Structure formats: C-alpha cells, structure tokens
Amino acid sequence: FTAIGIIIITAFIYLNNPIMIYSTISHANPLYILFGIVLESLAISFSALGWYLLLKAMNVRLSYTESLKATLIAIFGDIMIPTASLAGETFRILYVRNKNNGQIDKLIATAAFQRLIYTILLIVLIMLGIFLNESNRTLLLGYVLWFIASMVFLIIVLVFFVKNPNKFGIILKKLMIIFHRIIKIPRNVNKTMRDIDNLVHGINEGIQLSKNKKHFIFLATIVMTFQWIFGSLMIYSMLLSLGYKGINYIILLSIYPIYSTLTIMPVGIPAALGVVETGMTLSFIIIGVPRTIAASATLLTRGIMVWFDVTISGFIFIKNGKYLIQKEEEIKEFYEKKTHSTKN
C-alpha cells in the first residue's frame, strides 16, 4: 500500500508539472515554513489540552504531559494506519489504560465527546466557507455535500451514544452477538456482555460527573477551536511562503476540516499518500488558487503534517509503545477489578 501511495504521489507531481513545482518550492520563504512548524506544534498541543480538559470533566486524573504523549501516539497510529481515527483512538486509550491505570469506559466516553465537538466545529467551518466564498459557492457546495451528510449522521450517532448509553449498550450487545455468531471468535459471549455493561456503567458515571463540571467541556470546546485555527494558519503560512496572498483566510479555514478528514480516510495507504495531495490540491483550485501554487502548497503542507508529525510522534511511539501491549494476567486482573467495582 505504501508503494501504491508513492506511485500516486509520483503521478500527482508529474501531472502538475514537476519543473514548475520545483521552481516554485525552491523560492519558498523558509521563515514562513518554520512558522508553519510552530503552528502545527501548537495545534497538536491544543489537541492534547482539549482531551486533558474533557478528562478532568469526568474526574479522570491524567497529567497534561501524559495527555500530550497519548495524543502523539494517536497521531502516529492515524498516520501509519488510516482507519477513520480508529487506530489512533485505540492507541491513545490503551496507552492511558495500561500506563496510568485509566478507566477504559471513561476514556472511551471522553473520546466520543471530543469527536462530537470536532464534528460540530467541522460542519460550522465548512458552512461558513460556503457562504463566504460567493463566486465558487455552487462548486464548493457540491464538493462537500456528501461530506456534510456523513458528518450529520455521525453527530446523530454520537449524541445518541452520549444521551442514551443504556440503549446504546443494548444495541451494542445485539451487534456483538451477531458478530460472535459470524466470526466464531474464541471468547465467551457472556464475558463480552459483562464488558459492555461495565462500559455503559462507566459512561453513565462519567456523564453524571461531567454535569457538575460543564465549564471544563466549554473550555475544551474553546481550546479545540483554537486547534483548528492553528492548523489552518499553518496551511495559510505555506501559501504565504510561496508569495501567494490572494485568498481569504476564513475561506481557507473552511477547507482545513476537509483536509483533516482526508488524512484519516480508511484507504489503507499510510498517511493516505496521494489521496490527500489530490484532494487538497483540488480544494485549493476550487477556491481560486492557481494550479502550480496549489500543488506546491499542498506538498509543503504535507511535508510538515506527515514527515514532521511522524518524526515527533514516531519517537514517542517507539519510546512508549510497550504500554500498548498488556500481558494476559494483567488483562485478567483488570477485568476482575472492573467486575468487582461494578458489583459494589
């Protein structure tokens, strides 16, 4: 799959005139590129801070440093295994559970909260861009219509998950019974049902705790808004490094969520190589950026959001990856404690 991604990238550069791209990038202002790296670092830091605040809302004790490490591990997982954030979320939750004895039910609940907030912000920003980009409104609307519809569906599912964890548990149990019958996995069905009960119990507890700490959820929403702002400013900085200033930043802000979603599409190719570059360049062209500038800015952006991110997150992953694996006896002890605490 990596080879397929490299082939797509090569074709992408060839079709967009590699000589012109090289000439454009070679004249890029390095100060703006450095500033872009700083902005990307801030975006990652604010992502970790947003989750840290949501954890505090549910009385989960975790230092900001550990939240940052878990966030970087999640970023590495999403880059290397693009599965709509499933890999990244799994890595993050396992890390906190195994290293910091985190309650997995509450960790999943906070991840759901964070995804809900992100999705709402995403739709708001895209709609804002559509109405501000008067000249290309029809094209942009058609380009993101399917995207908005899928996000609305996701919001409905997440709201149902947060507001009705007991009903969600019933649905999940039925799905797991069907899954067990089809896959024939060597695990006791009753054990799975108890795990789901523990999960629902923890989510209910987390929601009750968060009701008294709504200010943390509000602060988390503000922080994650700034994360989007810093991320989009990083892309804007890449355009400025190429000397291009003919774009409204607010419109670019509406493109950033599309880019972020493209990076985690479950295409099987690490970092979604080639897929993101093509989609992002088309997005730039739709809002009026010249083709060569669009392709060049895309490659610079990906240089930071892939290679810089994977270097930093990869270092943290290698150093702390052992915490993603839990020994069999530790897993047994964990479930016994959870079952005992639920009965009490």
Side-chain angles (χ1 to χ4, degrees):
F1 284 114
T2 303
I4 291 172
I6 292 172
I7 292 171
I8 297 174
I9 283 286
T10 303
F12 167 82
I13 295 173
Y14 176 78
L15 294 172
N16 286 282
N17 196 330
I19 296 176
M20 289 295 294
I21 290 176
Y22 173 78
S23 176
T24 303
I25 293 178
S26 64
H27 290 90
N29 188 328
L31 290 178
Y32 280 109
I33 295 176
L34 180 61
F35 186 51
I37 294 174
V38 172
L39 289 169
E40 174 66 4
S41 301
L42 286 172
I44 293 172
S45 300
F46 271 66
S47 175
L49 181 58
W51 195 46
Y52 169 77
L53 291 170
L54 289 175
L55 289 169
K56 286 184 73 69
M58 293 194 180
N59 279 355
V60 177
R61 294 184 178 181
L62 188 73
S63 68
Y64 172 73
T65 301
E66 287 300 308
S67 176
L68 180 59
K69 287 181 180 179
T71 299
L72 286 167
I73 288 172
I75 289 172
F76 184 79
D78 284 334
I79 290 175
M80 301 308 295
I81 313 172
T83 52
S85 282
L86 180 61
E89 295 290 7
T90 303
F91 285 3
R92 177 169 67 166
I93 290 170
L94 285 176
Y95 171 79
V96 176
R97 186 194 73 173
N98 296 344
K99 185 179 180 183
N100 300 278
N101 297 318
Q103 293 177 274
I104 195 166
D105 36 27
K106 291 184 180 180
L107 294 175
I108 292 174
T110 56
F113 266 117
Q114 190 174 37
R115 190 60 52 192
L116 175 62
I117 294 170
Y118 275 144
T119 305
I120 293 172
L121 288 173
L122 181 147
I123 292 176
V124 169
L125 293 175
I126 288 179
M127 295 304 296
L128 180 64
I130 289 174
F131 287 106
L132 287 177
N133 192 18
E134 193 74 34
S135 61
N136 295 310
R137 181 181 296 181
T138 303
L139 282 174
L140 192 59
L141 182 60
Y143 181 67
V144 302
L145 188 59
W146 66 269
F147 185 72
I148 293 176
S150 63
M151 291 300 101
V152 169
F153 174 76
L154 180 59
I155 281 185
I156 293 172
V157 172
L158 288 172
V159 169
F160 179 78
F161 169 73
V162 172
K163 286 186 171 292
N164 305 280
N166 291 320
K167 291 182 180 179
F168 182 81
I170 293 171
I171 294 172
L172 189 58
K173 282 182 178 180
K174 291 180 179 179
L175 291 175
M176 288 306 298
I177 290 172
I178 295 172
F179 181 75
H180 272 272
R181 288 175 179 172
I182 295 174
I183 305 300
K184 305 288 186 182
I185 56 176
R187 194 177 185 214
N188 191 303
V189 176
N190 293 328
K191 179 67 168 55
T192 302
M193 298 302 106
R194 289 196 298 271
D195 292 343
I196 294 174
D197 287 335
N198 290 336
L199 173 63
V200 170
H201 172 77
I203 292 172
N204 271 316
E205 182 184 351
I207 291 171
Q208 293 303 317
L209 289 170
S210 66
K211 286 181 179 179
N212 299 323
K213 296 186 177 182
K214 293 180 181 178
H215 59 287
F216 281 120
I217 297 176
F218 175 75
L219 287 174
T221 303
I222 299 298
V223 164
M224 284 186 273
T225 302
F226 275 101
Q227 177 196 343
W228 287 103
I229 291 173
F230 286 131
S232 57
L233 277 174
M234 190 279 288
I235 299 176
Y236 191 55
S237 182
M238 295 304 100
L239 288 167
L240 292 178
S241 74
L242 300 174
Y244 185 77
K245 301 178 181 179
I247 187 172
N248 187 321
Y249 166 70
I250 300 298
I251 295 174
L252 184 63
L253 185 63
S254 69
I255 294 296
Y256 179 71
I258 298 175
Y259 166 76
S260 297
T261 305
L262 286 171
T263 60
I264 59 172
M265 285 182 65
V267 295
I269 303 173
L273 289 174
V275 177
V276 176
E277 284 77 6
T278 302
M280 189 175 180
T281 300
L282 287 174
S283 299
F284 277 144
I285 293 172
I286 285 173
I287 60 176
V289 179
R291 182 173 175 175
T292 301
I293 295 292
S296 301
T298 295
L299 292 174
L300 287 175
T301 299
R302 292 287 281 167
I304 294 176
M305 285 192 159
V306 174
W307 304 113
F308 172 75
D309 283 7
V310 83
T311 299
I312 303 300
S313 64
F315 173 77
I316 299 299
F317 179 85
I318 291 170
K319 191 174 180 180
N320 298 277
K322 60 184 178 181
Y323 295 108
L324 299 180
I325 303 173
Q326 197 173 28
K327 294 180 181 178
E328 185 177 351
E329 57 268 23
E330 292 175 338
I331 295 175
K332 184 178 180 180
E333 182 182 357
F334 170 78
Y335 281 116
E336 286 175 351
K337 285 181 179 179
K338 289 296 299 174
T339 304
H340 179 69
S341 64
T342 302
K343 287 179 180 179
N344 292 339

